[in-house]
Amino acid sequence: QVHLVESGGDSVQAGGSLRLSCTVSGNNNRDKCMAWFRQVPGQEREGVAGTWSGGGSIYYADSVKGRFTISHDNAKTTVYLQMNSLKPEDTAMYYCAADEDPCWWVGTMKAETFKYWGQGTQVTVSS
């Protein structure tokens, strides 16, 4: 069983930065696909960024390329999402997700490919 806890959400002005953290516990000796999703009420959960803890390709949604960076610590127990140049449209609940299977996507990263989820952390960007 894998347990995920997000932190770092806040309210910021447009153009500002935030760093979200996701603490991963359970099966830490196994590589995992780690990702960040976001969701606005009434809309589908959107894949923002994803990475395999063992290295390899990194996924970014087109809407965040060049502004957001996903990374993890060497112990693979914390996953980060550095968010720069934030826009009001980035306002959402952000969720950390993990799965023991390698990351994969066709076009966009889909929520149904992930087994484990955190409770979410709110990001609000005001103009």
Side-chain angles (χ1 to χ4, degrees):
Q1 188 70 18
V2 175
H3 187 56
L4 307 174
V5 179
E6 304 97 332
S7 62
D10 205 345
S11 296
V12 296
Q13 295 279 334
S17 297
L18 282 175
R19 188 174 82 158
L20 305 183
S21 299
C22 173
T23 301
V24 184
S25 59
N27 290 341
N28 285 107
N29 58 326
R30 291 186 61 179
D31 282 316
K32 302 178 187 62
C33 181
M34 305 296 305
W36 288 94
F37 284 74
R38 65 186 181 188
Q39 189 170 27
V40 175
Q43 297 185 17
E44 286 190 2
R45 199 164 287 192
E46 174 194 21
V48 174
T51 183
W52 178 248
S53 62
S57 297
I58 297 176
Y59 169 83
Y60 289 106
D62 288 343
S63 57
V64 307
K65 282 180 182 175
R67 300 188 299 122
F68 291 11
T69 303
I70 188 170
S71 63
H72 59 78
D73 65 347
N74 289 335
K76 304 174 186 178
T77 58
T78 307
V79 180
Y80 304 100
L81 185 68
Q82 178 66 43
M83 306 186 294
N84 299 327
S85 302
L86 282 161
K87 304 175 181 180
E89 51 263 43
D90 294 319
T91 295
M93 183 71 78
Y94 282 71
Y95 296 91
C96 181
D99 198 275
E100 287 98 347
D101 288 336
C103 297
W104 69 273
W105 61 89
V106 178
T108 58
M109 186 166 273
K110 300 298 185 185
E112 52 264 34
T113 64
F114 289 85
K115 186 183 305 180
Y116 305 107
W117 291 88
Q119 293 299 306
T121 186
Q122 178 68 37
V123 173
T124 303
V125 185
S126 57
S127 57

